[in-house]
Each structure stands twice: as C-alpha cells, then as structure tokens.
Amino acid sequence: AACPLQAAAPATASERPGVPAQQKSAQADENPYDNPWAAAAEADEIIGAFAQANHMAQVRSQKHDERQGTATEKVVRIGEALYVGETSGKGQPNGKGSLLLPDGSTHVGGFKDGRAHGSGVYTTTAGIVAIGGWQNNLRVGLFEQIDKAGVVWTERYNQEGKKIARKKTGEEREPPATCSRCSALFHTTHNHGHACRQHRGNWIANRDEDQKVEGIWACCGSRSAADKGCDLGEHRISA
C-alpha cells in the first residue's frame, strides 16, 4: 500500500476541471516560479498563517492557564503600547511586568493600577538606561543613568518628578551593542526577554481606496504600520 504521507502527483492541465481546451497547453508550459511577486506573496501567506497559528496557540494556552489558576503573566494592548506581566482584576498592569512603548523603549519593573510604581529600569533604542524608583508614573528620588557612550550619571528627582540634580559618577561601562534583529542599541547588562520586537510576517498594504485601514500585518493582524512587532525576545548580537 502507498504511504499515506506520500504526496500525489500534480494534476496536468488536461486533468484540471474547468480549464478551457485552448488554455491547457499554455498552462502546462508555465513555470510557477517565473513570477517572483507571486512566489513572495505565497511565502508571506505561509509565514503569516504559521505565525497566526502560533499566536492563537499562545492565546489559548494563556486562557487555559487562567482557568486553571496557573497563569503567571498576561499580554495587554494599551493603545499602541504592549504590556506583558501581572495585571489587576480590571486587566490593568499591576505587579511586575514589562511595558513596551511604541517608540521601542521599554520599562521593566513594578506597576500599580496601570502606572509605573516601584523600582524599575527604563531603556531606549538609542542605548540609554535609567534605573531607579517610580511613584505614580513619575521618577522620584535617586536615579542612575547610563548614556549611549557608556558614561554613568546620577540624577535626582523631586516628588513632582522634576529633575533637580545631575552629575557624572566617573564610572564608564561598555558602549551599547547593536541588535542584529531590530537594530536597536542596547547594554548587554540590561537585556531582557521582551526587549526586542519584530514581525514574522510582512506588512500588507490595503489597495482598496474606500477602506480607512492602511493595511495589516500578516503575522498578528495589527492594523498599525508603526507597530514594532508581535515576536518578542532578547536583543541579539550577530556572530
């Protein structure tokens, strides 16, 4: 008996239903790889379908964990920002988590009622790091900042979040590296599992002028071209 996984031979033009006789010989001679745009579209559909299936599996797994009471973190969209971490009963950031902002910067630390609260680390794609304490979304007290050259500064903020002092410490760290995935600058000592974002699929522009939506990301369904990505991970350095 034939193997059930063995692929059947492709049908010839004469075997395809609905193909007019005058087109059969021409279609039989066509090379499907002569059109690179068609091949690219087909590849993008495959990538998008796989990424979408993976995303759906993660969502279902998360819902299952929530029902079982074993969920440790949630993924919440807040406008164009993305939050990964502990939440309140209202679905707001509450506890430990990572806030991924639209410009690629991240805040990792404590949250309370949807706002940064407690110790945390703020990083930018320009290679700047700020380490300190937040109260109700405001920087308060003493902060350490590492600039894009690796120079370490101390900063002090009052209760209103206003910076009232800044000076060099005399310390210097290694300059930031460049991520091979997203091209952001980052300090290896402050890399984390949600630092890097990218899309697995491509941006598919909407060609219908009557629609207000500009397009959609094939991988996750986001309709914002500026969306940094649905695939999260650590920054990487090319070998």
Side-chain angles (χ1 to χ4, degrees):
C3 173
L5 298 180
Q6 182 176 350
T12 64
S14 60
E15 295 173 332
R16 298 172 193 159
V19 180
Q22 63 269 25
Q23 296 181 13
K24 291 178 181 178
S25 60
Q27 289 187 3
D29 295 334
E30 286 181 356
N31 185 340
Y33 298 103
D34 282 343
N35 186 342
W37 298 108
E42 181 181 353
D44 187 63
E45 288 179 3
I46 294 172
I47 294 172
F50 175 80
Q52 187 72 8
N54 184 54
H55 175 70
M56 290 174 64
Q58 291 177 347
V59 170
R60 290 174 179 174
S61 176
Q62 177 180 314
K63 289 182 177 179
H64 175 268
D65 290 344
E66 290 172 2
R67 288 194 297 269
Q68 298 297 318
T70 58
T72 57
E73 61 180 27
K74 292 183 179 180
V75 179
V76 180
R77 278 200 176 274
I78 306 173
E80 294 186 1
L82 194 66
Y83 173 79
V84 183
E86 299 173 341
T87 61
S88 66
K90 297 180 180 180
Q92 294 180 321
N94 200 74
K96 295 181 179 179
S98 301
L99 180 63
L100 317 178
L101 299 169
D103 63 357
S105 57
T106 68
H107 177 92
V108 180
F111 292 84
K112 183 178 180 181
D113 298 329
R115 295 174 176 269
H117 195 85
S119 60
V121 179
Y122 175 80
T123 61
T124 75
T125 57
I128 297 173
V129 180
I131 309 159
W134 277 257
Q135 292 183 18
N136 200 28
N137 256 11
L138 300 176
R139 298 184 185 188
V140 176
L142 189 65
F143 269 72
E144 176 182 274
Q145 185 179 92
I146 308 172
D147 67 21
K148 60 183 179 180
V151 177
V152 181
W153 301 75
T154 57
E155 297 180 342
R156 187 174 294 278
Y157 295 80
N158 63 17
Q159 293 297 315
E160 287 73 43
K162 182 180 179 179
K163 182 166 57 181
I164 56 177
R166 173 180 166 89
K167 67 177 181 179
K168 288 184 179 180
T169 65
E171 295 181 61
E172 289 191 9
R173 309 282 171 82
E174 288 290 328
T178 302
C179 178
S180 60
R181 299 177 74 215
C182 67
S183 301
L185 297 178
F186 72 101
H187 292 274
T188 55
T189 51
H190 295 287
N191 198 2
H192 59 87
H194 305 131
C196 181
R197 298 176 63 184
Q198 64 177 6
H199 288 283
R200 293 193 179 192
N202 291 322
W203 171 255
I204 308 300
N206 188 351
R207 299 180 181 178
D208 188 350
E209 296 180 356
D210 294 334
Q211 298 293 331
K212 296 182 179 180
V213 179
E214 295 180 1
I216 190 170
W217 286 102
C219 46
C220 61
S222 172
R223 298 188 178 186
S224 171
D227 193 307
K228 288 292 182 180
C230 54
D231 184 25
L232 309 180
E234 293 185 351
H235 288 307
R236 298 176 186 173
I237 303 175
S238 57

